[in-house]
Amino acid sequence: MKRRFALAAALVALCAAVELVAGRGMSPATAWEVLNGGGDATERHILFQLRLPRTLVALGAGACLAVAGLVLQSALRNPLAGPEVTGVTPGAVLGAVTATALGLAGWDSPLAVVVAACAGGCAGAALLWLLTGRGGGDPAQTAVHGVLVSAVLGGVTAMVLLVKPGELGSVVQWLVGTTEGRVWQHWHLLWPWALVWGAAAWLLAGPLTLLRCGDDMALAAGLRAGRARTLALLCAVALTAGAVASVGALGFVGLLVPHLAVALFGADLRTALPGAALVGAAVVCGADAAAQLSSRLLAAVLDAGRFALPVGALTACLGALMLLVVVRRTPNRAF
Amino acid sequence: MAALLLTAAALCALSLGTPFVAPHRIAGAALEGDTTLAGIVLTELRVPRLLLALVAGACLGAAGLVLQEALRNPLAVPEMLGVSSGAALGVAAPLVLAVSLPAAVQPLTAIGGAVLGGGLTLLAAGLGRSPSAVLLTGAAVAAALQAALLVMMVTADQLDLQLIYRYLLGSLSARTWDDVSGLWPWLLVAVPALVLCAPVLSVMRLGDEDAEALGVRAGRARLAALAIAVVLIAPVTAVCGPVAWVGFLAPHVARRFAPTATAVRWLPWSAVWGAVVVAVADVPARLALAPVETPAGAWTALLGVPAGVVLLRSSRRGRPSGRGAATPRPAAAPAAVRAVPPGPRTAAPDGSVPGPGASGGIGKQAAGGFGDTPSAPHRDRGTEDAR
């Protein structure tokens, strides 16, 4: 187990390193030089004011999403539950889009966007909460309602976008999920939030492991299943809101990374949760690095100067393929 | 009820807007044809738009019912199977990539996309899984397809972006006679097929084994039903985008009004209610935020989903409703989504705690895929966890 953790940590470090050197405007050799204290002012600015925070935000958001997904899947006992189907992600997008459309938040004020996204995410989760009878519902029903809530919120988002078409271009990035243009301010907003809720999730690891075994088992072991599930959902919502507020609606990370983490670190959440955080960070960061590299390639091929592939595009495409594998492997009675 | 709503929606669609045409003048203005402004607006814009709304709604409603009955799954709707997103992708991709296609080919790309999306979902979820599993898989597939589309949109320019986004949700703006006339050939194929498949659908409700006993090849019938649904959805999507959630709402309303009927009777009613829903939704879509048009699909999602949830919840225990039960058992929980008594749960395990393998309130069906999948656990019908 320790070796696996070391391996995951090494993977995270590797992805972060690749992310730091994979970008336009600077060759890897130059980046290395800057890291060693060389380089001119521009290069230093690119590396320390743009690339480093971007890398950190990608790592943090990936970890948040993965942990949120694992918590959700354990609490709802549904291998297909993910932050996308809790109403949190579309709610957060709606919050960010609305704030931008009303002129309350622009791209020059990350704080306002993050706050709006968080508020939206919590509103989406609250809607789900009300629908499912205040958290007492059974897992399958919660999932169904989650999809419906997401649909409604998507409809509202579309309305806002069409009323304010001028905002559409910048907002589309949000709908897919991107790490473009993240600065230190985003990181400063993300890490305390992630740390607090991540710690809360880790404290819940024991009860969650029991919940994974089914409510009957949990009740027999003396756990109040309803209460534990409520707390877990709260935790997952908070983590998702933080992640979506910082990078937008990254698809599939919260749905699939938990499966990977459980396969690697076992089903005991006391080890699987930190493992999921590491794997999630590595996945998002690696995907972002890959997206940047492929953007460069595509830009060279298509001769388009400012073509940037959002990281969400990659995670979505990879996610769809992996989803097929996961669903096929899951035994039928698991739902 | 349906007729009343339909009339009201049609009157609103024809008379409101700029220029306003008083309801008693509609016929006269339409007959004036292209001599007056009101006549031109009516005959060239409002009448085709209304017609298109009715036809599109009817198609989507009927397709929704076909899907729900064929998969015996109250939540199998185009949106949740990735069919709508796939069709939208098929239409929008050539637009974004600036490949000019003749108008006749558009439905074909839509069909290709719809088959891709639906196929992906069914491939992943399998046919015999519980409704909520299909639903979650479909949601994920739809999300992936949407993401693919959004990525294309990022590379497009601003004007395209708006058009495509509006289209993604389903919008009837700026549709003329050409669009309406493009639908007829497809309808000519789909309507007879629908009439033929309705009796088979009502047999499918009994569960695969009973259907086989009655001489229906369940696997083939299901495939045929899916094909019909795709043929119904794709052309509509090609013209006005996948108007969201009509396929979810219309069948449920139809069942609500005739809870004991069979698919033969539900099918026309689903079509009628679908037409009503789209026609009604198109009125606020056109007028709510004038002069900006909102997509009708946004309104159907806003109004349709909550209404659908209410419908699902209010089907009380013991009343047979349109759900995918393997057999109509009187003691079963009838609705896909059961109302849960609010308030804290007691620590004592009451009957509503799902045991392992139970999917809350939604009956698990025998795994009846195409033919028999060897890996699928074969359960006798009727041995669901009746909790």
Side-chain angles (χ1 to χ4, degrees), chain B residues 341-354:
Chain B
R345 302 278 293 282
T346 48
D350 56 352
S352 66
V353 177

Side-chain angles (χ1 to χ4, degrees), chain A residues 77-78 80 85 131-134 136-141 143-145 147-148 151-152 155-156 158-159 161-163 165-166 168-169 172-173 175-176 215-216 219 252 255 307-310 313 316 320 323-324 327-328 330-333 335, chain B residues 75 80 120 123-125 128-130 132-133 135-137 139-140 144 147 150-151 154-155 158 161-162 165-166 169 245 289 292 294-295 298-299 301-302 305-306 309 313 337-338 340 342 345 347 349 353-360 364:
Chain A
R77 291 190 61 233
N78 194 327
L80 289 178
V85 295
L131 260 183
T132 49
R134 295 194 275 292
D138 55 42
Q141 185 191 319
V144 171
H145 278 312
V147 173
L148 296 176
V152 176
V156 183
M159 292 251 195
L161 283 181
L162 286 163
V163 177
L168 207 53
V172 164
Q173 301 269 352
L175 303 178
V176 186
D215 282 12
D216 297 349
L219 287 166
F252 289 104
L255 184 66
F307 180 79
L309 193 68
L323 181 81
L324 297 186
V327 179
R328 295 303 286 186
T330 317
N332 200 5
R333 56 183 177 69
F335 294 106
Chain B
L75 297 169
M80 294 191 185
L120 206 61
L123 190 76
R129 293 206 185 257
S130 71
S132 59
L135 166 80
L136 286 170
T137 317
L150 286 168
V151 172
V154 173
T155 60
Q158 200 71 36
L161 216 57
Q162 230 205 96
Y165 201 78
R166 169 169 309 179
L169 280 156
W245 299 96
L289 299 170
V292 182
T294 45
W299 290 96
L302 278 186
V305 175
V309 170
R313 286 188 140 203
V337 181
R338 265 179 317 160
V340 178
R345 302 278 293 282
V353 177
S359 61
K364 295 276 297 260

